[in-house]
Amino acid sequence: MLKLFDLELSGNCYKVRLLAALLGVTLDIIPVDFMAGAHKADAFLKLNPFGEIPVLQDDELVLRDSQAILVYLARKHGGEAWLPTDAAGMARVMQWLSTAANDVARGPNDARLHDLFSYKLDIVKARHQSQHVLAIFETHLTSHNWLEFDRPTIADIACYPYIVLAEQGGVSLANYPSIHRWAARIRALPGYIPMPGQYQAA
Amino acid sequence: MLKLFDLELSGNCYKVRLLAALLGVTLDIIPVDFMAGAHKADAFLKLNPFGEIPVLQDDELVLRDSQAILVYLARKHGGEAWLPTDAAGMARVMQWLSTAANDVARGPNDARLHDLFSYKLDIVKARHQSQHVLAIFETHLTSHNWLEFDRPTIADIACYPYIVLAEQGGVSLANYPSIHRWAARIRALPGYIPMPGQYQAA
């Protein structure tokens, strides 16, 4: 069985649990004691030298990074639907995996780390970046039901958690109706699971 | 022909030019006047609402994000060698594309933006992150010739520019012999092109 080294409150872990649920894949969840710093202990650093959660283990294969794990699950269990393999299709999805790893990470993810987990970082900058990212998503989602194509892909799953958790970093989602409608589409997917403490649209 | 909206001094643009050169793909280079803020002007924001360079245009297809563009070139022109499509192989490469988009971006890339382009950011934090990332690369590359597998992939191309440009962000590469050997392997690849102002190992 696939082992997920997990933190319940991490949006990066949640995106893996969410895709697994949507694909009907069962995960063996191994909680990592984040508050005790278990992700920086030697045993965990052997799995992931970056000291970050999640990590997925499938027999001999050990994968770090939530986006890479989404790619793995999609290629192994999702077929072409969740991650197309033609050049243009794969690259279009890849754009949003980078957005999740960079722009979203530096915005709503960082702001939430500051507010919820007392990370020392420039909160003004993180909130400014959150607004910038949310505005781009809002505009894009006003003319698109999904981030790419006419269906959900791992692009949506990669970006969804920290976008909808923006309020936990002190950034209101009140003025982003297209983001709300996109989030509702994701929540309506068969097999959808929420995460603890997650924003719930009215 | 493939059009690349380019900035000569950008490591993210360079990685695209480098992979294209290694694959023997000719690019139509369109310089973007970064110093004049052309990447934040309306015409460019229509191509990439994030206002970031590079952007690749292939007829109707417009791709933002250097990692996504590497995926496109690899899938279209590189076959399985540069980016395998099996689940494990693709995910293993993907790990490093996220590392490029996140850990490397927040480390040597940010530090260089501060020193070379006067970006306002926490330079102490960026240099600390650079050391952290360089140490992980050094350890990994002490037992691996390439980041994944026994051959170069887009994992190497995605990470190479800002790792070897670390000194332009005030971080010495003197104590990283395995990184030097890895960089030398990349520079020895048929078709390799350097970038202006790039670090040259002895």
Side-chain angles (χ1 to χ4, degrees):
Chain A
M1 191 186 292
L2 297 173
K3 281 187 194 174
L4 182 69
F5 294 85
D6 182 66
L7 172 67
E8 194 176 35
L9 289 177
S10 156
N12 284 324
C13 293
Y14 166 62
K15 68 178 77 165
V16 173
R17 285 184 264 117
L18 174 56
L19 181 64
L22 295 172
L23 296 175
V25 173
T26 305
L27 298 172
D28 180 14
I29 302 287
I30 301 169
V32 176
D33 192 348
F34 179 81
M35 293 306 180
H39 58 303
K40 302 294 184 192
D42 286 351
F44 191 82
L45 292 177
K46 280 180 191 164
L47 294 172
N48 179 8
F50 287 89
E52 292 163 354
I53 318 167
V55 163
L56 186 81
Q57 191 163 16
D58 189 1
D59 289 326
E60 296 294 298
L61 181 69
V62 177
L63 289 173
R64 63 180 171 82
D65 180 67
S66 56
Q67 275 64 245
I69 297 171
L70 293 183
V71 164
Y72 184 67
L73 293 177
R75 289 295 300 133
K76 191 167 182 192
H77 300 285
E80 291 284 316
W82 289 90
L83 175 60
T85 53
D86 67 286
M90 180 171 288
R92 283 172 63 182
V93 170
M94 181 65 214
Q95 296 176 111
W96 298 99
L97 302 189
S98 285
T99 297
N102 185 333
D103 313 87
V104 174
R106 290 176 186 251
N109 189 348
D110 270 2
R112 182 173 178 266
L113 286 173
H114 175 275
D115 284 13
L116 225 58
F117 298 98
S118 306
Y119 272 47
K120 285 180 189 164
L121 48 77
D122 186 341
I123 183 62
V124 174
K125 194 169 188 173
R127 290 204 183 120
H128 180 81
Q129 168 69 6
S130 297
Q131 303 281 12
H132 174 63
V133 168
L134 288 171
I136 292 171
F137 272 70
E138 177 68 17
T139 301
H140 184 78
L141 290 166
T142 300
S143 56
H144 299 79
N145 282 339
W146 305 97
L147 290 177
E148 293 292 332
F149 313 112
D150 55 355
R151 64 179 191 271
T153 66
I154 60 171
D156 302 281
I157 306 304
C159 295
Y160 169 75
Y162 290 107
I163 292 291
V164 297
L165 290 168
E167 295 191 336
Q168 292 188 356
V171 177
S172 169
L173 283 167
N175 296 317
Y176 300 108
S178 296
I179 288 177
H180 282 261
R181 284 189 289 269
W182 169 69
R185 271 175 224 118
I186 293 177
R187 288 198 305 277
L189 292 172
Y192 176 86
I193 53 169
M195 81 176 269
Q198 185 176 343
Y199 139 92
Q200 293 293 340
Chain B
M1 193 187 290
L2 296 173
K3 280 186 193 174
L4 181 69
F5 293 85
D6 182 66
L7 173 67
E8 193 175 36
L9 290 177
S10 157
N12 284 324
C13 294
Y14 166 62
K15 68 178 78 163
V16 173
R17 284 184 265 118
L18 174 56
L19 181 64
L22 295 172
L23 296 176
V25 173
T26 305
L27 298 172
D28 180 13
I29 303 287
I30 301 169
V32 175
D33 192 348
F34 179 80
M35 293 308 181
H39 58 303
K40 302 296 182 192
D42 286 350
F44 191 81
L45 292 176
K46 280 180 192 166
L47 293 173
N48 179 7
F50 286 89
E52 291 162 355
I53 318 170
V55 163
L56 187 81
Q57 190 164 16
D58 190 0
D59 288 327
E60 296 294 297
L61 180 69
V62 177
L63 288 172
R64 61 179 173 83
D65 179 68
S66 55
Q67 274 64 247
I69 297 171
L70 293 184
V71 165
Y72 183 68
L73 293 178
R75 290 294 302 133
K76 192 167 181 192
H77 299 285
E80 291 284 316
W82 290 90
L83 175 61
T85 53
D86 67 285
M90 181 172 287
R92 284 173 62 182
V93 170
M94 182 65 214
Q95 297 176 111
W96 298 98
L97 302 189
S98 286
T99 297
N102 186 335
D103 313 86
V104 174
R106 290 175 185 251
N109 189 348
D110 270 3
R112 181 172 178 266
L113 286 172
H114 175 275
D115 284 13
L116 225 59
F117 298 100
S118 306
Y119 272 48
K120 284 180 190 166
L121 48 77
D122 186 341
I123 183 64
V124 174
K125 193 169 189 172
R127 289 203 184 119
H128 180 81
Q129 167 70 5
S130 297
Q131 303 281 12
H132 174 64
V133 168
L134 289 171
I136 292 171
F137 272 70
E138 178 66 19
T139 301
H140 184 78
L141 291 166
T142 300
S143 56
H144 298 79
N145 283 339
W146 305 97
L147 291 178
E148 293 293 331
F149 313 111
D150 57 355
R151 64 178 191 272
T153 65
I154 59 171
D156 302 281
I157 306 304
C159 295
Y160 170 73
Y162 289 108
I163 292 291
V164 296
L165 290 168
E167 296 191 336
Q168 292 188 356
V171 177
S172 169
L173 283 167
N175 295 321
Y176 300 108
S178 297
I179 289 178
H180 283 261
R181 284 190 288 270
W182 169 68
R185 272 175 224 119
I186 293 177
R187 289 198 304 276
L189 292 172
Y192 175 85
I193 53 168
M195 83 176 269
Q198 186 177 339
Y199 139 94
Q200 293 293 339

